[in-house]
Amino acid sequence: MASSALPTVTRVLTQVVTQTVASATPSSTQRATPQGGILEGSNPSIYDPKNPIFIFVIQAGIILIFCRLLHYPLSKLRQPRVIAEVIVGVILGPSAMGHIPGFTNAIFPAASIPNLTLVANVGLILFLFLVGLEVDLRFLVSNWRVAITVGALGMALPFGMGCAIAYGLYNQFRDDPGTVPISFGVYMLFVAVAMAITAFPVLCRILTELKLLQTPVGVIVLSAGVSNDIVGWILLALCVALVNAGSGLTALWVLLVCVGYILFLAFVVRPGFMWILQRSGSLQNGPTQSVVALTLIMVLASAFFTGVIGVHPIFGGFVIGLICPHEGGFAIKITEKVEDLVAVLFLPLYFALSGLSTNLGLLNNGITWAYVVGVVCVAFFAKVIGGTLAAKLNGLVWRESFTIGALMSCKGLVELIVLNIGLQAKILSTRTFTIFVVMALITTFATTPLTTALYPHWYQIKIEAWKRGEIDWEGNRLTDDDNSTDPDETSMVKAESTEIGKILTYLRLDSMPGVLALVSLFSKPISTTAVSRVHHTKPEYQGSEESDAPNFLPGRPVQIYGLHLMELTDRASSVMRVAEIDEFTLRDPVVNTFRMFGQLRDLPVSGQVMVVPEASFATTLVDEASDVSADMMLIPWTLSGTMSEYEIEDSTNRFANGAFSHFVLSSLTRAPCNTAVFVDNGFSNKKKAKASKALSRTISSISTRDMHHFSTATVNRGYHLYLPYIGSDDDKAAIRLVLQLARDPSVTATIVQFELPEATVVDLQDAQDREQLSSAPTSTSTKSKVHTAAYKVSSDRYSGFFSAVRDSLPTALASRVIFETILSNSPYQTIIKKIKDDIEHSPKDSGDLIVLGRNSAMDTILSASSGDGASSALLESDAKQGLGVLAEGILGRIPKASLLVVKSSR
């Protein structure tokens, strides 16, 4: 038996080995997928259902690149990004590049579209969650009357006209391929919703960019937009429920379950969520990673539930956004965690898919184009007329009312979401979908230009003054004859005023120490019996730095307004900050620091945050100075070298950034009052803390950095100001400022008048004549004669002012302020040398500040007297034009000097 069993075992083993070898041959169909990729001849552009990531990366890359390229020119026209995303989809779809042979099958094969759609729909759910976060129900409650009237009438007219045009669309296109038989009532409801809805996120963005959010127009539009948005989504949910339901009774059950679910979220889930946020500190300090995970789980679970009950999943994400709290800035902070991935990747894919589903080739006959025109006209004019009439009923003038109507006609991305839902539910055919996409693009594109034309900035100023009763409708001032004053006389009185009563300062995180130190000099001394410093050139300085002379000059308190400007970006969180600007200002650390400093120094201060585009920083600063009737604007120069507020340790040249220099120059040019540009080089603390030494490795152990580094108490005992007076309106403003700062007993000042042999500063027109003369080709000696002739004007006005100020110096300032007069043929060299000597002999514990008049008319004569090699390349063109030639020389030769460059408004 053993011998007979052996051949049997041998045959079995032979058979198993043979089958194994055969299964491993190249001809086997069970071979594993090649892992060498393109190295084994694999083509990643061919769609593989087992590994779809390659074709997805190609599709996403093409869509994102095209969207970014197209959005750049459209952004110059202030168009929202959704316009570019839809147009890219249209270009990549059957309307344009789809006509290229093999393009669609290679890049967008039909088998790969479900994967692309899945990713896009996940992004859509997250986006609707962000839309819900943007909707602040508190704003709706506080403006409920306007929200109801404008929102209701703004929806009623387009809703009714949408029902009317739906009759024609239903009978003309209901037999198109890709649709399912539905009743006219459901179709009519969907078309009416598509006509009546307003794109709330795009609306917020437009209002913010045009700086209308705080105007009566912006408040009304935002209130009506919130109510319009909520009602529109409810009606759309009802429409989808009716389509998905097999009978009317089923649709009723779906609606009741949906209402019960919303009540469950509002009264059960939200209180529990708030409890978790408070216990975890996320409400006060921002969401933790666990809270972010919990929130996203809630979004996906809610989307799942609303989807399985017969309503679209996006509604689940939307209602979770609605119940998230706005207290403590939680809604803004959670938006910051999610928005970039959604806006950069998911949304372009979704709206590009909308474009891929759009086929302009189907608009191929007259009746179709007639409906295109009809749909556009109904959607636009019905919305404009409805919003205009509703606004007029709320007491606005016609032009404001038309602006509100134009804004409410914006469709944007919300309209496209509605249309895609209709296409997926097979309510719309590809042809009718294309008609509505064209309508959405046209109405969205027209919103910003129409608003800008109807409600420009000059009209906003006029209408506000008219409502306050300051002017009549023609623009004439309404003032009493007895109290009327000549405008020129009023401006002259303000310009000649010796005191600064209101200051508007631009708050930046990097320059706060220097700004606070400078602003503190405008405060009253904490103790009027405190000792007074003595100027270092006075004989009594040798015995003591302190004087028993009166040290305090009474004067009106200086009111200081702080304005913290933040850049408005493409992010939704940035727009939400504008909508919640009052609460955001209360939480802003820069403004809070400024306010606390004012309380400690007994200074009347006020702080505010404004979120505007970076290009509008100068305009916003100037407008705010005009609104508060500021006597001086204080602009600190950046320490980071850029518009960013965060200091860069290794910034090469802080004066080489063109963007910040242009901002300063624009502010100086447009300023309605005197302006001072502050260049801080250690004014607040002359002794800088040394950085910790770099790590070093030893044989015995690993060295670590010593973090227990304490800076010594180096609070300045005083400040020394130095003012070179050449003679101009800018110098007059500077000398007034120095004398007001010198009221502080810790301040000493040196004011030196530099006289030219036969001339001082001329007016700006004379400076222009001088530039024309000096630009002619002449020899060196001839140029000197030209300069002398050009500046041979009377200097009695400015010299007389200097003498009057010197002779009328109060007794309390006599020991701390000195005046000198120097005659010099080379003012540039003499000023810099004098400043160097004065700073070297000033007390070591004092903060030195050089105060300069801008003196733009003197730039050429100062450059001519600078000598060979004096001109440095420290300042780029805008910075040099803003600060001046003398400031450039001082910064180049005295790099540790702090400057305050003053420009008069005259």
Side-chain angles (χ1 to χ4, degrees):
M1 292 180 61
S3 60
S4 63
L6 184 60
T8 304
V9 174
T10 303
R11 285 196 303 271
V12 171
L13 290 174
T14 303
Q15 184 178 2
V16 170
V17 172
T18 304
Q19 291 176 352
T20 303
V21 173
S23 63
T25 59
S27 60
S28 173
T29 59
Q30 303 299 322
R31 183 186 178 188
T33 304
Q35 299 301 310
I38 59 175
L39 299 179
E40 291 190 38
S42 174
N43 186 355
S45 64
I46 297 177
Y47 175 70
D48 182 5
K50 296 180 180 178
N51 201 5
I53 185 65
F54 299 126
I55 192 67
F56 174 79
V57 170
I58 294 173
Q59 293 168 342
I62 292 175
I63 291 173
L64 296 182
I65 292 172
F66 272 66
C67 286
R68 292 288 167 173
L69 292 176
L70 185 58
H71 175 64
Y72 179 76
L74 290 176
S75 64
K76 303 302 179 182
L77 301 176
R78 292 183 169 181
Q79 294 301 321
R81 193 181 302 277
V82 64
I83 296 286
E85 292 166 353
V86 176
I87 293 177
V88 165
V90 173
I91 293 173
L92 296 176
S95 302
M97 299 185 72
H99 292 287
I100 300 175
F103 175 81
T104 301
N105 290 332
I107 305 300
F108 297 100
S112 69
I113 297 300
N115 297 322
L116 198 61
T117 303
L118 175 63
V119 177
N121 282 331
V122 171
L124 183 63
I125 292 171
L126 294 176
F127 173 71
L128 263 294
F129 166 65
L130 296 179
V131 173
L133 287 173
E134 286 190 61
V135 176
D136 191 350
L137 295 178
R138 299 173 302 174
F139 194 83
L140 177 62
V141 172
S142 60
N143 299 278
W144 66 270
R145 190 183 302 275
V146 173
I148 291 176
T149 54
V150 178
L153 189 55
M155 285 193 73
L157 186 59
F159 193 90
M161 296 187 68
C163 291
I165 200 171
Y167 180 80
L169 290 168
Y170 180 78
N171 290 287
Q172 183 67 36
F173 302 113
R174 63 178 175 178
D175 296 327
D176 281 358
T179 59
V180 295
I182 57 173
S183 65
F184 171 70
V186 175
Y187 189 88
M188 179 188 69
L189 178 62
F190 180 85
V191 172
V193 170
M195 292 292 186
I197 203 164
T198 297
F200 180 74
V202 178
L203 199 60
C204 287
R205 178 74 191 182
I206 293 174
L207 289 172
T208 305
E209 284 191 348
L210 299 182
K211 294 192 287 188
L212 298 178
L213 212 54
Q214 305 301 323
T215 64
V217 168
V219 172
I220 290 176
V221 168
L222 202 61
S223 304
V226 171
S227 62
N228 200 316
D229 204 42
I230 295 174
V231 173
W233 287 117
I234 292 174
L235 291 176
L236 185 60
L238 175 62
C239 182
V240 174
L242 290 172
V243 172
N244 293 335
S247 63
L249 183 61
T250 304
L252 178 61
W253 278 112
V254 170
L255 181 62
L256 292 176
V257 171
C258 191
V259 171
Y261 176 65
I262 293 175
L263 295 176
F264 172 74
L265 290 177
F267 295 103
V268 177
V269 175
R270 190 178 191 275
F273 188 51
M274 288 288 291
W275 182 82
I276 293 174
L277 296 181
Q278 291 171 350
R279 289 294 299 268
S280 64
S282 298
L283 205 60
Q284 299 82 14
N285 306 318
T288 63
Q289 193 174 67
S290 299
V291 168
V292 173
L294 174 62
T295 306
L296 293 180
I297 291 172
M298 291 169 57
V299 171
L300 296 177
S302 181
F304 170 79
F305 182 79
T306 56
V308 297
I309 66 173
V311 185
H312 201 282
I314 63 172
F315 298 104
F318 178 72
V319 293
I320 293 297
L322 284 179
I323 68 170
C324 284
H326 287 254
E327 291 82 358
F330 177 81
I332 296 177
K333 294 169 184 175
I334 198 72
T335 300
E336 292 174 341
K337 305 291 184 182
V338 182
E339 60 182 342
D340 280 349
L341 186 62
V342 174
V344 173
L345 177 61
F346 289 137
L347 277 188
L349 297 182
Y350 182 83
F351 293 119
L353 279 175
S354 300
L356 289 173
S357 302
T358 303
N359 189 353
L360 297 178
L362 295 177
L363 309 180
N364 53 6
N365 53 51
I367 189 64
T368 303
W369 276 106
Y371 274 106
V372 170
V373 175
V375 167
V376 171
C377 291
V378 168
F380 180 74
F381 289 108
K383 201 71 176 175
V384 170
I385 294 172
T388 300
L389 294 177
K392 186 61 179 174
L393 291 176
N394 280 273
L396 275 72
V397 300
W398 280 112
R399 192 160 182 172
E400 287 180 313
S401 302
F402 276 116
T403 304
I404 290 174
L407 286 166
M408 294 298 291
S409 68
C410 179
K411 301 296 182 184
L413 66 176
V414 174
E415 175 74 11
L416 294 169
I417 294 171
V418 172
L419 297 179
N420 275 280
I421 292 175
L423 184 65
Q424 294 171 7
K426 298 185 178 180
I427 300 174
L428 300 178
S429 65
T430 304
R431 189 195 306 267
T432 50
F433 176 80
T434 302
I435 292 174
F436 279 92
V437 167
V438 172
M439 176 270 291
L441 290 176
I442 292 175
T443 53
T444 305
F445 194 92
T447 302
T448 300
L450 272 176
T451 304
T452 305
L454 287 170
Y455 205 57
H457 184 65
W458 66 265
Y459 183 78
Q460 298 173 38
I461 298 175
K462 174 186 173 181
I463 199 67
E464 288 177 6
W466 177 75
K467 290 180 178 180
R468 290 193 301 264
E470 298 175 359
I471 61 173
D472 60 18
W473 188 249
E474 302 300 327
N476 302 313
R477 281 198 175 274
L478 301 176
T479 54
D480 297 333
D481 294 337
D482 296 338
N483 299 327
S484 62
T485 306
D486 183 23
D488 294 335
E489 182 180 348
T490 302
S491 62
M492 182 68 70
V493 170
K494 184 174 180 180
E496 294 293 340
S497 174
T498 58
E499 285 192 9
I500 295 172
K502 296 180 180 179
I503 299 175
L504 175 68
T505 179
Y506 170 40
L507 299 179
R508 291 176 54 89
L509 183 63
D510 59 347
S511 57
M512 282 295 286
V515 168
L516 295 182
L518 181 60
V519 165
S520 68
L521 301 183
F522 289 97
S523 64
K524 295 180 180 179
I526 298 177
S527 173
T528 57
T529 61
V531 294
S532 174
R533 292 179 66 86
V534 179
H535 196 280
H536 61 273
T537 62
K538 296 286 184 179
E540 55 267 31
Y541 175 78
Q542 303 300 329
S544 172
E545 296 181 15
E546 302 168 354
S547 170
D548 296 329
N551 57 15
F552 174 65
L553 283 176
R556 58 173 178 167
V558 178
Q559 299 175 1
I560 304 178
Y561 300 85
L563 182 61
H564 186 201
L565 296 176
M566 302 184 69
E567 183 184 4
L568 176 67
T569 64
D570 291 336
R571 293 180 170 90
S573 57
S574 182
V575 179
M576 292 171 68
R577 288 193 186 100
V578 182
E580 303 177 20
I581 195 64
D582 292 335
E583 291 187 11
F584 187 77
T585 299
L586 294 176
R587 299 191 303 268
D588 184 65
V590 174
V591 171
N592 285 333
T593 301
F594 185 66
R595 286 174 176 160
M596 180 57 66
F597 172 79
Q599 294 177 10
L600 295 175
R601 297 292 301 187
D602 195 23
L603 265 173
V605 301
S606 173
Q608 184 179 359
V609 176
M610 285 192 177
V611 184
V612 295
E614 188 176 286
S616 301
F617 272 23
T619 304
T620 304
L621 190 65
V622 169
D623 290 345
E624 187 67 15
S626 179
D627 291 342
V628 302
S629 300
D631 300 311
M632 186 181 79
M633 285 197 315
L634 178 61
I635 305 176
W637 198 274
T638 172
L639 293 182
S640 64
T642 65
M643 291 295 292
S644 172
E645 299 183 38
Y646 299 97
E647 186 172 357
I648 302 173
E649 190 70 25
D650 298 326
S651 56
T652 55
N653 185 0
R654 56 191 284 205
F655 303 100
N657 183 264
F660 191 85
S661 301
H662 181 71
F663 156 70
V664 172
L665 182 59
S666 298
S667 302
L668 289 172
T669 305
R670 305 174 185 176
C673 57
N674 295 346
T675 308
V677 181
F678 179 43
V679 181
D680 181 21
N681 283 319
F683 176 69
S684 59
N685 190 353
K686 202 169 186 181
K687 297 180 181 180
K688 298 286 186 179
K690 295 182 179 180
S692 301
K693 294 182 179 180
L695 296 177
S696 58
R697 188 180 297 274
T698 63
I699 298 176
S700 59
S701 63
I702 300 176
S703 298
T704 58
R705 189 185 300 273
D706 181 13
M707 300 305 296
H708 303 287
H709 178 77
F710 298 94
S711 59
T712 58
T714 57
V715 179
N716 291 326
R717 296 181 60 189
Y719 300 94
H720 181 66
L721 312 182
Y722 187 92
L723 169 63
Y725 182 89
I726 303 174
S728 67
D729 289 328
D730 296 340
D731 281 342
K732 290 172 67 175
I735 201 172
R736 295 189 191 103
L737 176 60
V738 167
L739 291 178
Q740 186 167 352
L741 293 174
R743 290 180 174 181
D744 190 295
S746 65
V747 174
T748 59
T750 302
I751 304 175
V752 183
Q753 180 187 21
F754 292 87
E755 290 186 341
L756 299 179
E758 297 180 341
T760 55
V761 178
V762 296
D763 294 333
L764 185 57
Q765 184 61 46
D766 298 321
Q768 294 172 350
D769 297 338
R770 173 259 318 190
E771 290 177 0
Q772 294 175 0
L773 289 171
S774 61
S775 62
T778 56
S779 62
T780 304
S781 59
T782 306
K783 284 184 179 180
S784 300
K785 295 178 181 178
V786 169
H787 289 307
T788 304
Y791 286 99
K792 194 172 289 185
V793 295
S794 174
S795 61
D796 293 341
R797 174 186 176 192
Y798 300 112
S799 296
F801 175 82
F802 181 84
S803 301
V805 172
R806 178 190 58 199
D807 296 340
S808 61
L809 186 69
T811 306
L813 301 182
S815 63
R816 293 186 281 112
V817 180
I818 67 167
F819 292 83
E820 298 178 13
T821 300
I822 297 176
L823 184 65
S824 173
N825 290 321
S826 303
Y828 183 95
Q829 302 283 2
T830 307
I831 290 173
I832 293 180
K833 184 177 183 303
K834 180 65 178 174
I835 291 175
K836 273 187 174 182
D837 294 340
D838 198 75
I839 290 178
E840 288 178 359
H841 291 89
S842 66
K844 299 302 181 183
D845 63 346
S846 67
D848 298 313
L849 179 65
I850 303 170
V851 184
L852 302 174
R854 170 60 187 85
N855 298 329
S856 58
M858 289 292 294
D859 281 350
T860 300
I861 197 170
L862 290 172
S863 298
S865 65
S866 62
D868 295 335
S871 180
S872 67
L874 179 66
L875 307 186
E876 56 91 37
S877 58
D878 282 347
K880 186 173 184 178
Q881 191 175 351
L883 297 178
V885 172
L886 187 56
E888 181 181 38
I890 293 173
L891 291 171
R893 298 189 177 194
I894 316 176
K896 295 183 179 180
S898 295
L899 290 184
L900 189 66
V901 181
V902 180
K903 182 180 181 299
S904 173
S905 61
R906 297 185 62 187

